[in-house]
Amino acid sequence: MPRSPSRNLLSDAVGRDAAQMAAHMLQCEAARGGWFGLAGALQRVSAATAGRLVTVACLGAVLLAALSAFG
């Protein structure tokens, strides 16, 4: 049974989409690099502390003072 032209167009579109997705995935993988996990962790820490910057700075100062006094 011969294939209809509309089915060929659909098949071509799916093939192009798959090729574009594969190219995108390769580009994303190359952009991640070896330090991607560390960068993600630092972004999470930054997001958690951004709204509490003064509090975190004060706690850091207290911690440094305690370490210098007792260390």
Side-chain angles (χ1 to χ4, degrees):
M1 177 172 213
R3 297 175 76 178
S4 66
S6 63
R7 185 169 175 105
N8 287 338
L9 290 176
L10 180 62
S11 175
D12 291 343
V14 170
R16 276 193 310 273
D17 287 348
Q20 288 174 347
M21 179 59 81
H24 174 77
M25 296 300 287
L26 289 173
Q27 183 182 14
C28 287
E29 183 179 350
R32 286 178 67 157
W35 293 94
F36 183 76
L38 178 62
L42 290 175
Q43 284 179 351
R44 284 190 297 275
V45 168
S46 175
T49 60
R52 301 167 192 88
L53 185 59
V54 173
T55 304
V56 170
C58 290
L59 289 174
V62 168
L63 179 63
L64 287 175
L67 287 174
S68 66
F70 298 110

Coordinates of all heavy atoms in Angstrom, one line a residue:
M1 N 0.8 -1.2 0.0 CA 0.0 0.0 0.0 C 0.9 1.2 0.0 O 1.8 1.4 0.9 CB -0.9 0.0 1.2 CG -1.8 1.2 1.4 SD -2.9 0.9 2.8 CE -4.3 1.7 2.2
P2 N 0.7 2.2 -0.9 CA 1.5 3.4 -1.0 C 1.3 4.3 0.1 O 0.2 4.4 0.6 CB 1.2 4.0 -2.4 CG -0.1 3.4 -2.7 CD -0.3 2.1 -2.0
R3 N 2.3 5.0 0.5 CA 2.2 6.0 1.6 C 1.6 7.3 1.1 O 1.9 7.7 0.0 CB 3.5 6.2 2.2 CG 4.1 5.0 2.9 CD 5.5 5.2 3.4 NE 5.4 6.0 4.6 CZ 6.5 6.3 5.4 NH1 7.7 6.0 4.9 NH2 6.3 7.0 6.5
S4 N 0.8 7.9 1.9 CA 0.2 9.2 1.4 C 1.2 10.3 1.6 O 2.1 10.2 2.5 CB -1.1 9.5 2.2 OG -0.8 9.7 3.5
P5 N 1.1 11.4 0.8 CA 2.0 12.5 1.0 C 1.9 13.2 2.3 O 2.9 13.6 2.9 CB 1.6 13.5 -0.1 CG 0.8 12.7 -1.1 CD 0.2 11.6 -0.3
S6 N 0.8 13.2 2.9 CA 0.6 13.9 4.2 C 1.4 13.1 5.3 O 2.0 13.6 6.2 CB -0.8 14.1 4.6 OG -1.4 12.8 4.7
R7 N 1.4 11.7 5.1 CA 2.1 10.9 6.1 C 3.6 11.1 6.0 O 4.3 11.1 7.0 CB 1.8 9.4 5.9 CG 2.4 8.5 6.9 CD 1.8 7.1 6.8 NE 2.4 6.2 7.7 CZ 1.9 5.8 8.8 NH1 0.7 6.2 9.1 NH2 2.6 5.0 9.6
N8 N 4.1 11.3 4.8 CA 5.5 11.6 4.6 C 5.9 12.9 5.2 O 7.0 13.1 5.8 CB 5.9 11.6 3.1 CG 5.9 10.2 2.5 OD1 6.1 9.2 3.2 ND2 5.7 10.1 1.2
L9 N 5.1 13.9 5.0 CA 5.3 15.2 5.6 C 5.4 15.1 7.2 O 6.2 15.7 7.8 CB 4.3 16.3 5.2 CG 4.3 16.7 3.7 CD1 3.2 17.6 3.4 CD2 5.7 17.3 3.4
L10 N 4.5 14.4 7.7 CA 4.5 14.2 9.2 C 5.7 13.5 9.6 O 6.4 13.8 10.6 CB 3.2 13.4 9.6 CG 3.1 13.1 11.1 CD1 3.0 14.4 11.9 CD2 1.9 12.3 11.3
S11 N 6.1 12.5 8.9 CA 7.3 11.7 9.2 C 8.6 12.6 9.2 O 9.5 12.6 10.0 CB 7.5 10.5 8.3 OG 8.7 9.9 8.5
D12 N 8.6 13.5 8.1 CA 9.8 14.4 8.0 C 9.8 15.4 9.2 O 10.8 15.7 9.7 CB 9.7 15.2 6.7 CG 9.9 14.3 5.5 OD1 10.5 13.2 5.7 OD2 9.6 14.7 4.3
A13 N 8.6 15.9 9.6 CA 8.5 16.8 10.7 C 9.0 16.2 12.0 O 9.7 16.8 12.7 CB 7.1 17.4 10.8
V14 N 8.6 15.0 12.2 CA 9.0 14.3 13.4 C 10.5 14.0 13.4 O 11.2 14.2 14.4 CB 8.2 12.9 13.5 CG1 8.8 12.1 14.6 CG2 6.8 13.2 13.8
G15 N 11.1 13.7 12.2 CA 12.5 13.5 12.1 C 13.3 14.8 12.4 O 14.3 14.8 13.0
R16 N 12.8 15.9 11.8 CA 13.4 17.2 12.1 C 13.4 17.6 13.5 O 14.3 18.0 14.1 CB 12.8 18.3 11.2 CG 13.3 18.4 9.8 CD 12.9 19.6 9.1 NE 11.5 19.9 9.2 CZ 10.5 19.5 8.4 NH1 10.9 18.7 7.4 NH2 9.3 19.8 8.6
D17 N 12.2 17.4 14.2 CA 12.1 17.7 15.6 C 13.0 16.8 16.4 O 13.6 17.3 17.4 CB 10.6 17.4 16.0 CG 9.7 18.5 15.5 OD1 10.1 19.5 15.0 OD2 8.4 18.3 15.7
A18 N 13.1 15.6 16.1 CA 14.0 14.7 16.8 C 15.5 15.1 16.7 O 16.2 15.1 17.6 CB 13.8 13.2 16.4
A19 N 15.9 15.5 15.5 CA 17.2 16.0 15.2 C 17.5 17.3 16.0 O 18.6 17.4 16.5 CB 17.5 16.1 13.7
Q20 N 16.5 18.2 16.0 CA 16.7 19.4 16.7 C 16.8 19.2 18.2 O 17.6 19.8 18.9 CB 15.6 20.4 16.4 CG 15.6 21.0 15.0 CD 14.4 21.8 14.6 OE1 13.4 21.8 15.3 NE2 14.5 22.5 13.5
M21 N 16.0 18.3 18.7 CA 16.1 18.0 20.1 C 17.4 17.4 20.5 O 18.0 17.7 21.5 CB 14.9 17.0 20.5 CG 14.9 16.6 22.0 SD 14.8 18.0 23.1 CE 13.0 18.3 23.1
A22 N 17.9 16.5 19.7 CA 19.2 15.8 19.9 C 20.3 16.9 19.9 O 21.2 16.9 20.8 CB 19.5 14.8 18.9
A23 N 20.3 17.8 19.0 CA 21.3 18.9 18.9 C 21.2 19.8 20.2 O 22.2 20.2 20.7 CB 21.1 19.7 17.7
H24 N 20.0 20.1 20.6 CA 19.8 20.9 21.8 C 20.3 20.2 23.0 O 21.0 20.8 23.9 CB 18.3 21.2 22.0 CG 18.0 21.9 23.2 ND1 18.2 23.2 23.4 CD2 17.4 21.4 24.4 CE1 17.8 23.6 24.6 NE2 17.4 22.5 25.3
M25 N 20.0 18.9 23.2 CA 20.5 18.1 24.3 C 22.0 18.1 24.3 O 22.7 18.2 25.4 CB 19.9 16.7 24.3 CG 18.4 16.7 24.5 SD 17.8 17.4 26.0 CE 18.3 16.2 27.1
L26 N 22.7 17.9 23.2 CA 24.1 17.9 23.1 C 24.7 19.3 23.5 O 25.7 19.4 24.2 CB 24.6 17.6 21.7 CG 24.4 16.1 21.4 CD1 24.8 15.9 19.9 CD2 25.2 15.2 22.3
Q27 N 24.0 20.4 23.1 CA 24.5 21.7 23.4 C 24.3 22.0 24.9 O 25.2 22.5 25.6 CB 23.6 22.7 22.7 CG 24.1 24.2 22.9 CD 23.2 25.2 22.2 OE1 22.1 24.8 21.7 NE2 23.6 26.4 22.1
C28 N 23.2 21.5 25.5 CA 23.0 21.6 27.0 C 24.1 20.9 27.8 O 24.6 21.3 28.7 CB 21.7 21.2 27.4 SG 20.3 22.3 26.9
E29 N 24.4 19.7 27.3 CA 25.4 18.8 28.0 C 26.7 19.5 27.9 O 27.5 19.5 28.9 CB 25.4 17.5 27.3 CG 26.4 16.5 28.0 CD 26.4 15.1 27.4 OE1 25.5 14.8 26.6 OE2 27.3 14.3 27.7
A30 N 27.1 20.1 26.8 CA 28.4 20.7 26.6 C 28.4 22.0 27.5 O 29.5 22.3 28.1 CB 28.6 21.1 25.2
A31 N 27.3 22.7 27.7 CA 27.3 23.9 28.5 C 27.4 23.7 29.9 O 27.8 24.5 30.7 CB 26.0 24.7 28.1
R32 N 27.0 22.5 30.4 CA 27.0 22.2 31.8 C 28.4 22.1 32.4 O 28.6 22.7 33.4 CB 26.3 20.8 32.1 CG 24.8 20.9 31.9 CD 24.2 19.6 32.1 NE 24.3 19.1 33.5 CZ 23.5 18.3 34.1 NH1 22.6 17.7 33.4 NH2 23.8 17.9 35.3
G33 N 29.3 21.5 31.7 CA 30.7 21.4 32.2 C 30.8 20.6 33.4 O 29.9 20.0 33.9
G34 N 32.0 20.5 33.9 CA 32.3 19.7 35.1 C 31.9 20.2 36.4 O 31.8 19.5 37.4
W35 N 31.7 21.5 36.5 CA 31.4 22.2 37.8 C 29.9 22.5 37.9 O 29.5 23.3 38.8 CB 32.2 23.5 37.9 CG 33.6 23.2 38.0 CD1 34.6 23.2 37.0 CD2 34.4 22.9 39.2 NE1 35.8 23.0 37.5 CE2 35.7 22.8 38.9 CE3 34.0 22.8 40.5 CZ2 36.7 22.5 39.8 CZ3 34.9 22.5 41.5 CH2 36.3 22.3 41.1
F36 N 29.1 21.8 37.1 CA 27.6 22.2 37.1 C 27.0 21.8 38.4 O 26.2 22.6 38.9 CB 26.9 21.4 36.0 CG 25.5 21.7 35.8 CD1 25.1 22.9 35.3 CD2 24.5 20.8 36.3 CE1 23.7 23.2 35.2 CE2 23.2 21.1 36.2 CZ 22.8 22.3 35.6
G37 N 27.3 20.7 39.0 CA 26.7 20.4 40.3 C 27.1 21.4 41.4 O 26.2 21.8 42.2
L38 N 28.3 21.8 41.5 CA 28.7 22.8 42.4 C 28.0 24.1 42.2 O 27.5 24.8 43.1 CB 30.2 23.0 42.4 CG 30.8 24.1 43.4 CD1 30.5 23.7 44.8 CD2 32.3 24.3 43.1
A39 N 27.9 24.5 40.9 CA 27.2 25.8 40.6 C 25.8 25.7 41.0 O 25.2 26.7 41.5 CB 27.4 26.1 39.1
G40 N 25.1 24.6 40.8 CA 23.7 24.5 41.2 C 23.6 24.6 42.7 O 22.6 25.2 43.2
A41 N 24.5 23.9 43.4 CA 24.4 24.0 44.9 C 24.6 25.4 45.4 O 23.9 25.9 46.3 CB 25.4 23.0 45.5
L42 N 25.6 26.1 44.8 CA 25.8 27.5 45.2 C 24.6 28.4 44.9 O 24.3 29.3 45.7 CB 27.1 28.0 44.5 CG 28.4 27.4 45.0 CD1 29.6 27.9 44.2 CD2 28.6 27.7 46.5
Q43 N 23.9 28.1 43.8 CA 22.7 28.9 43.5 C 21.6 28.7 44.5 O 20.9 29.6 44.9 CB 22.2 28.6 42.1 CG 23.1 29.2 41.0 CD 22.6 28.8 39.6 OE1 21.7 27.9 39.4 NE2 23.1 29.4 38.6
R44 N 21.5 27.4 44.9 CA 20.5 27.1 45.9 C 20.8 27.8 47.2 O 19.9 28.4 47.9 CB 20.3 25.6 46.1 CG 19.6 24.9 45.0 CD 19.3 23.5 45.3 NE 20.4 22.6 45.5 CZ 21.1 22.0 44.5 NH1 20.7 22.2 43.3 NH2 22.1 21.3 44.8
V45 N 22.1 27.8 47.6 CA 22.5 28.5 48.9 C 22.2 30.0 48.7 O 21.7 30.6 49.7 CB 24.0 28.2 49.2 CG1 24.5 29.1 50.3 CG2 24.1 26.7 49.6
S46 N 22.6 30.5 47.6 CA 22.4 32.0 47.4 C 20.9 32.3 47.4 O 20.6 33.4 48.0 CB 23.0 32.3 46.0 OG 22.7 33.7 45.7
A47 N 20.1 31.5 46.8 CA 18.6 31.8 46.8 C 18.1 31.7 48.3 O 17.2 32.5 48.6 CB 17.9 30.8 45.9
A48 N 18.6 30.8 49.0 CA 18.1 30.6 50.4 C 18.6 31.8 51.3 O 17.9 32.2 52.2 CB 18.6 29.3 51.0
T49 N 19.7 32.3 51.0 CA 20.3 33.4 51.9 C 20.1 34.8 51.4 O 20.3 35.7 52.1 CB 21.8 33.1 52.1 OG1 22.5 33.2 50.9 CG2 22.1 31.8 52.8
A50 N 19.6 35.0 50.2 CA 19.5 36.3 49.6 C 18.6 37.2 50.4 O 18.9 38.4 50.6 CB 19.1 36.2 48.1
G51 N 17.5 36.7 50.8 CA 16.6 37.5 51.6 C 17.0 37.7 53.0 O 16.4 38.6 53.7
R52 N 18.0 37.0 53.5 CA 18.4 37.1 54.8 C 19.9 37.5 54.9 O 20.7 37.1 55.7 CB 18.3 35.7 55.5 CG 16.8 35.3 55.5 CD 16.8 33.8 55.9 NE 15.5 33.2 55.7 CZ 15.1 32.7 54.5 NH1 15.9 32.6 53.5 NH2 13.9 32.1 54.4
L53 N 20.3 38.3 54.0 CA 21.7 38.7 53.8 C 22.3 39.3 55.1 O 23.4 38.9 55.6 CB 21.9 39.6 52.7 CG 23.4 40.0 52.3 CD1 24.2 38.7 52.0 CD2 23.4 40.9 51.2
V54 N 21.6 40.2 55.7 CA 22.1 40.9 57.0 C 22.2 39.8 58.1 O 23.2 39.8 58.8 CB 21.2 42.1 57.3 CG1 21.6 42.6 58.7 CG2 21.3 43.1 56.3
T55 N 21.2 39.0 58.2 CA 21.2 38.0 59.3 C 22.4 37.0 59.1 O 23.1 36.7 60.0 CB 19.9 37.2 59.3 OG1 18.8 38.1 59.4 CG2 19.8 36.2 60.4
V56 N 22.6 36.6 57.8 CA 23.7 35.6 57.6 C 25.0 36.3 57.8 O 25.9 35.7 58.4 CB 23.6 35.1 56.1 CG1 24.8 34.4 55.7 CG2 22.4 34.3 55.9
A57 N 25.2 37.6 57.5 CA 26.4 38.3 57.7 C 26.7 38.4 59.2 O 27.8 38.3 59.7 CB 26.4 39.7 57.1
C58 N 25.6 38.7 60.0 CA 25.8 38.8 61.5 C 26.1 37.5 62.1 O 27.0 37.4 62.9 CB 24.5 39.3 62.1 SG 24.2 41.1 61.7
L59 N 25.5 36.4 61.6 CA 25.8 35.1 62.1 C 27.3 34.7 61.7 O 28.0 34.1 62.5 CB 24.9 34.0 61.6 CG 23.4 34.1 62.1 CD1 22.5 33.1 61.4 CD2 23.5 33.8 63.6
G60 N 27.7 35.1 60.6 CA 29.1 34.8 60.2 C 30.1 35.6 61.0 O 31.1 35.0 61.4
A61 N 29.7 36.8 61.4 CA 30.6 37.6 62.2 C 30.7 37.0 63.6 O 31.8 36.9 64.2 CB 30.1 39.1 62.3
V62 N 29.6 36.6 64.1 CA 29.5 35.9 65.5 C 30.3 34.6 65.4 O 31.1 34.4 66.4 CB 28.1 35.7 65.9 CG1 28.0 34.8 67.1 CG2 27.4 37.0 66.2
L63 N 30.2 33.9 64.4 CA 30.9 32.6 64.3 C 32.4 32.9 64.2 O 33.2 32.2 64.9 CB 30.5 31.8 63.0 CG 31.2 30.5 62.7 CD1 30.9 29.5 63.9 CD2 30.7 30.0 61.4
L64 N 32.8 33.9 63.4 CA 34.3 34.2 63.3 C 34.8 34.7 64.6 O 35.9 34.4 65.1 CB 34.5 35.2 62.2 CG 34.4 34.7 60.8 CD1 34.5 35.9 59.8 CD2 35.4 33.7 60.5
A65 N 34.0 35.5 65.3 CA 34.4 36.0 66.7 C 34.6 34.8 67.6 O 35.5 34.8 68.4 CB 33.4 37.0 67.2
A66 N 33.6 33.9 67.6 CA 33.7 32.8 68.5 C 34.9 31.9 68.2 O 35.6 31.4 69.1 CB 32.4 31.9 68.4
L67 N 35.2 31.7 66.9 CA 36.3 30.9 66.5 C 37.7 31.5 66.9 O 38.6 30.9 67.4 CB 36.3 30.6 65.0 CG 35.3 29.6 64.5 CD1 35.3 29.6 63.0 CD2 35.5 28.3 65.1
S68 N 37.7 32.9 66.8 CA 39.0 33.5 67.2 C 39.1 33.6 68.7 O 40.2 33.5 69.2 CB 39.0 35.0 66.6 OG 38.0 35.7 67.2
A69 N 38.0 33.6 69.4 CA 38.1 33.7 70.9 C 38.4 32.3 71.5 O 39.2 32.2 72.5 CB 36.8 34.2 71.5
F70 N 37.8 31.3 70.9 CA 38.0 30.0 71.5 C 38.9 29.1 70.7 O 39.2 28.0 71.1 CB 36.6 29.3 71.6 CG 35.7 30.0 72.5 CD1 34.5 30.6 72.0 CD2 35.9 30.0 73.9 CE1 33.7 31.3 72.8 CE2 35.0 30.7 74.7 CZ 33.9 31.3 74.2
G71 N 39.4 29.6 69.6 CA 40.2 28.7 68.8 C 41.7 28.9 68.9 O 42.5 28.9 69.6

